[in-house]
């Protein structure tokens, strides 16, 4: 992919660090406001006390506490500044990486931005095809692979690849690491506390996306109370957190309340509410909402890259022949599943490719047909020809003399 489509495809790649930067600065601002309120109240209390009953020793102690608090605020601001500088540096490196991937249709006088923190970054002249080097594309594939591993839950493998290829500035590994404690809490501890706290922190965006994650978490807590036989507590919890969704979630609420009343009888029609699979479903729902809130998007970039190439290779013959061609990726069942929803390629002019060598069969390397109907290139069959002039078919192991082979003419 190139041009505008490529830039749109990479939109989350630039959007995520901006969102992280804004969110971290907003958090710092909130903490700073709290600290300012504490220090201001302490100063006002100290002034009022001094006016009413001056005491040098108490005043010194209070001032020491205020100074200690201010030093702590200063340290937090310094850490926040260092974190912001790192985030901006990562964003700059991403822009520089994308610049090198842009198509060569820009004025030749422009130059790619270089990171101030990286003295080894060289200017890249726009307008030259040579600037899109193999290294840049390899880096792109590597970061897409890391993203795929993170989305699939292989965080340790993703960490290893990130360190090996020095991709710290180009992957959003921190987003997935921050979510891991929440996932562990849901699966191992069967606790929704941390997940609900995450929902509270991101309630504006979740509400905008009409997410049902918080409701499902609350419902799971209600079911956990039923299992613990805390009936009155469960009823209060339901009235406080779940009754507001009765208009749209009446069915599941009826089943849950019925399970509360009849839990001691273990009715089989409500056992699905107590299945462990519900926790795994919550984890999957949380992961989906995490991708949306973090601006990563639900689509896997690696799949999108593969599908963009499959559009040109997704020929109907790969599905109909029933034979495996090692040189055609679309003959692989895994690739066929990935290309299931893609349109078939419309080729007006076919290209014959030898299944043995992978070379194109043309006038210089014409196709030859064996008596059994198998077609291979002349060069491949010459390499397979024995000293007695016989050729062994790679597919069926049938042997034929070279005189039995005929040229194929394609109209």
């Amino acid at each position: 992919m190139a041009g505008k489509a490529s830039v749109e495809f990479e939109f989350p790649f630039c959007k995520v660090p901006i969102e992280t930067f804004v969110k971290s600065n907003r958090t710092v601002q909130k903490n700073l406001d709290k600290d300012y309120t504490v220090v201001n109240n302490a100063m006002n209390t100290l002034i009022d006390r001094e006016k009413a009953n001056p005491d040098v020793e108490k005043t010194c102690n209070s001032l020491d506490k205020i100074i200690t608090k201010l030093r702590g605020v200063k340290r937090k601001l310094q850490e926040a500044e260092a974190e912001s500088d790192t985030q901006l540096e990562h964003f700059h490196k991403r822009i520089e990486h994308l610049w090198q991937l842009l198509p060569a249709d820009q004025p030749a006088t422009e130059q790619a931005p270089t990171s101030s923190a990286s003295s080894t970054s060289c200017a890249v002249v726009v307008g030259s095809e040579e600037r899109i080097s193999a290294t840049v594309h390899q880096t792109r594939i590597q970061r897409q692979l890391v993203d795929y591993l993170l989305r699939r839950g292989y965080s340790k493998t993703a960490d290893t690849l990130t360190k090996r290829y020095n991709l710290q500035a180009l992957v959003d590994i921190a987003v997935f690491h921050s979510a891991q404690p929440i996932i562990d809490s849901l699966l191992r501890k069967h606790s929704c506390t941390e997940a609900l706290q995450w929902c509270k922190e991101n309630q504006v965006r979740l509400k905008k996306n009409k997410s049902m994650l918080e409701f499902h978490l609350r419902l799971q807590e209600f079911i956990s109370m039923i299992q613990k036989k805390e009936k009155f507590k469960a009823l209060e919890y339901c009235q406080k957190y779940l009754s507001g969704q009765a208009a749209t979630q009446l069915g599941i609420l009826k089943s849950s309340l019925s399970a509360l009343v009849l839990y001691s009888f273990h009715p089989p029609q409500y056992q699905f509410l107590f299945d462990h699979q519900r926790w795994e479903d919550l984890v999957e729902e949380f992961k989906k909402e995490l991708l949306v809130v973090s601006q990563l998007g639900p689509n896997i970039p690696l799949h999108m890259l593969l599908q963009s190439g499959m559009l040109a290779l997704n020929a109907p013959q790969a599905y109909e022949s029933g034979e495996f061609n090692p040189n055609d990726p679309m003959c692989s069942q895994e690739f066929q599943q990935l290309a299931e929803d893609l349109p078939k390629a419309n080729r007006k002019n076919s290209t014959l490719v030898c299944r043995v060598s992978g070379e194109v069969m043309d006038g210089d390397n014409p196709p030859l047909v064996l008596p059994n109907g198998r077609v291979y290139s002349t060069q491949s069959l010459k390499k397979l020809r024995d000293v007695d002039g016989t050729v062994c078919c790679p597919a069926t192991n049938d042997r034929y003399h070279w005189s039995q082979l005929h040229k194929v003419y394609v109209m």
Side-chain angles (χ1 to χ4, degrees), residues 90-108:
H90 288 180
F91 177 69
H92 192 102
K93 288 182 178 180
R94 294 190 180 201
I95 293 296
E96 184 179 350
H97 174 69
L98 287 182
W99 187 276
Q100 297 172 356
L101 289 170
L102 284 175
D105 56 0
Q106 305 295 329

Side-chain angles (χ1 to χ4, degrees), residues 306-368:
L306 290 172
Q307 288 175 340
S308 64
M310 290 177 184
L311 286 172
L313 301 174
N314 195 27
Q317 291 79 4
Y319 301 82
E320 298 171 358
S321 64
E323 299 179 3
F324 180 78
N325 185 353
N327 301 306
D328 185 1
M330 296 312 302
C331 288
S332 169
Q333 185 177 1
E334 291 77 9
F335 279 95
Q336 289 182 0
Q337 292 175 354
L338 193 58
E340 184 177 359
D341 298 328
L342 297 178
K344 299 296 186 292
N346 182 18
R347 297 181 182 177
K348 296 182 179 180
N349 298 318
S350 300
T351 301
L352 299 180
V353 179
C354 178
R355 63 171 61 247
V356 175
S357 63
E359 298 176 350
V360 176
M361 293 185 284
D362 51 20
D364 298 328
N365 187 23
L368 295 178

Side-chain angles (χ1 to χ4, degrees), residues 225-239:
M225 293 176 187
I226 296 177
Q227 290 180 298
K228 296 176 183 177
K229 298 182 180 180
E230 299 174 347
K231 293 187 177 182
F232 294 105
K233 185 179 178 180
L235 280 174
E236 293 177 358
Y237 189 89
C238 181
Q239 292 175 351

Side-chain angles (χ1 to χ4, degrees), residues 103-354:
D105 56 0
Q106 305 295 329
T109 55
E110 295 185 16
Q111 290 186 334
T114 55
S115 174
S116 58
S118 178
S119 60
T120 59
S121 298
C122 59
V124 182
V125 179
V126 180
S128 172
E129 293 289 346
E130 295 179 356
R131 69 183 183 84
I132 307 179
S133 64
T135 303
V136 175
H137 287 288
Q138 186 178 11
T139 301
R140 187 189 197 190
I141 296 299
Q142 289 168 352
R143 64 179 175 83
Q144 302 291 8
L145 182 58
V146 171
D147 176 85
Y148 175 83
L149 292 171
L150 289 171
R151 289 170 183 260
R152 293 301 188 187
Y154 302 106
S155 56
K156 292 184 178 179
T157 305
D159 289 341
T160 302
L161 290 178
T162 300
K163 295 176 181 177
R164 177 178 297 178
Y165 299 119
N166 194 25
L167 301 174
Q168 288 80 356
L170 303 179
V171 296
D172 302 300
I173 202 166
V175 174
F176 296 91
H177 280 182
S178 64
Q180 194 58 45
I182 299 176
I183 295 174
D184 292 340
S185 179
L186 289 171
L187 284 180
R188 299 178 183 179
K189 300 179 183 178
H190 287 184
S191 171
C192 300
T193 304
E194 294 186 26
L196 287 170
Q197 178 62 31
W198 182 85
C199 290
K200 183 179 179 181
E201 295 173 356
N202 300 277
Q203 58 183 349
V204 176
R205 186 154 290 171
L206 290 173
K207 185 176 181 180
K208 182 180 179 181
N209 297 330
K210 298 180 181 180
S211 170
M212 296 300 297
L213 176 60
E214 183 175 358
F215 171 77
H216 293 152
L217 290 170
R218 296 290 184 188
L219 180 63
Q220 191 62 35
E221 284 207 325
F222 174 70
I223 294 173
S224 297
M225 293 176 187
I226 296 177
Q227 290 180 298
K228 296 176 183 177
K229 298 182 180 180
E230 299 174 347
K231 293 187 177 182
F232 294 105
K233 185 179 178 180
L235 280 174
E236 293 177 358
Y237 189 89
C238 181
Q239 292 175 351
K240 184 176 181 180
Y241 295 109
L242 301 177
S243 59
Q245 297 288 341
T248 57
Q249 304 294 327
L250 185 59
I252 189 66
L253 287 177
K254 281 185 176 180
S255 298
S256 301
L257 289 172
S258 300
L260 172 65
V261 176
L262 304 173
Y263 180 70
S264 58
F265 298 98
H266 303 287
Q269 63 268 35
Y270 302 125
Q271 289 304 308
F272 73 95
L273 294 171
F274 310 106
D275 193 346
H276 181 270
Q277 181 63 36
R278 291 184 59 85
W279 291 102
E280 297 182 3
D281 293 341
L282 280 175
V283 170
E284 292 303 318
E285 185 178 2
F286 167 72
K287 288 180 178 180
K288 292 179 180 179
E289 296 298 340
L290 173 69
L291 295 175
V292 175
V293 170
S294 303
Q295 300 293 321
L296 284 167
N299 296 322
I300 301 177
L302 184 62
H303 283 182
M304 295 174 66
L305 279 176
L306 290 172
Q307 288 175 340
S308 64
M310 290 177 184
L311 286 172
L313 301 174
N314 195 27
Q317 291 79 4
Y319 301 82
E320 298 171 358
S321 64
E323 299 179 3
F324 180 78
N325 185 353
N327 301 306
D328 185 1
M330 296 312 302
C331 288
S332 169
Q333 185 177 1
E334 291 77 9
F335 279 95
Q336 289 182 0
Q337 292 175 354
L338 193 58
E340 184 177 359
D341 298 328
L342 297 178
K344 299 296 186 292
N346 182 18
R347 297 181 182 177
K348 296 182 179 180
N349 298 318
S350 300
T351 301
L352 299 180
V353 179
C354 178

